[in-house]
Amino acid sequence: MRRNILFLCLLFTSLVSCAQSTESLKKAMQQLYEANYLMDFEAIAQLSYPKMVDQMGKAVFLEKTEQFYENETYRLRYQLQSVPFQFGPITKIGTRSFCVVTVRIPKRYFFEASLTAEIAAEKKTWLQQINQTKDVTFEPNRNSFNVKMIATFVAVYDENTNGNWRFFNFDFPEQQTAFEILFDQSITTQLKL
């Protein structure tokens, strides 16, 4: 009898812990998306995986993030303030927990220089490649492209995240490379990335 009560207590504790972990993951993911929507680069840095930010250097991380959104060629904006996220299973590997989160994000690229039909066709091909989508539409009146793509984020919970979920945004090639450097190939394989 005592054994059954102990088993039930352990089961209840693990279920509550898992539910809290899932809720904190969802909350952190929403905060990261909102930070990207608002272009709050400091918040993006705080919600990103700390060792990755340290490896790049915070100033370089902030500069690269800002250049991703605004540079002399274009301005990038997320079009919706909130979107539904698709959370994969939380996968525990050793002492770390991971979760792959995908989201369909509509973005708009506003180009600074007026685009001719020929240059617009080149930019469309380029945007299809970097966003890994065919859903790219040029809007000549706005000198912009509407891009609908699926973004992939990897959430990590480990000894480096101070009891919080922190993220890699695979839209940024530098962050995907940092993930591959910081975690071995077996993790990438287990997460099916």
Side-chain angles (χ1 to χ4, degrees), residues 4-44:
N4 289 341
I5 291 173
L6 180 62
F7 174 75
L8 288 173
C9 286
L10 288 173
L11 179 64
F12 179 74
T13 303
S14 68
L15 289 174
V16 168
S17 173
C18 183
Q20 287 174 338
S21 182
T22 301
E23 284 307 308
S24 65
L25 171 61
K26 289 178 179 179
K27 183 180 176 187
M29 185 65 225
Q30 183 62 43
Q31 290 171 336
L32 179 63
Y33 182 84
E34 286 176 10
N36 278 277
Y37 176 80
L38 298 171
M39 297 186 335
D40 183 347
F41 305 129
E42 282 289 334
I44 293 170

Side-chain angles (χ1 to χ4, degrees), residues 68-142:
F68 180 75
Y69 283 98
E70 292 188 323
N71 54 59
E72 60 255 354
T73 306
Y74 65 83
R75 291 170 286 125
L76 167 64
R77 301 292 183 267
Y78 283 15
Q79 294 185 62
L80 297 176
Q81 189 165 4
S82 67
V83 291
F85 303 107
Q86 298 294 318
F87 293 90
I90 294 176
T91 305
K92 190 147 177 81
I93 302 172
T95 59
R96 298 179 168 124
S97 294
F98 297 89
C99 183
V100 177
V101 183
T102 56
V103 58
R104 187 164 174 81
I105 299 177
K107 301 186 210 178
R108 183 170 303 279
Y109 288 81
F110 297 93
F111 281 82
E112 301 300 334
S114 186
L115 302 177
T116 64
E118 184 180 315
I119 295 173
E122 291 172 10
K123 295 295 184 191
K124 180 177 181 176
T125 301
W126 173 71
L127 289 169
Q128 288 172 329
Q129 290 172 348
I130 66 166
N131 289 290
Q132 298 178 4
T133 184
K134 295 280 185 203
D135 200 349
V136 176
T137 307
F138 181 54
E139 296 183 10
N141 294 341
R142 298 175 89 179

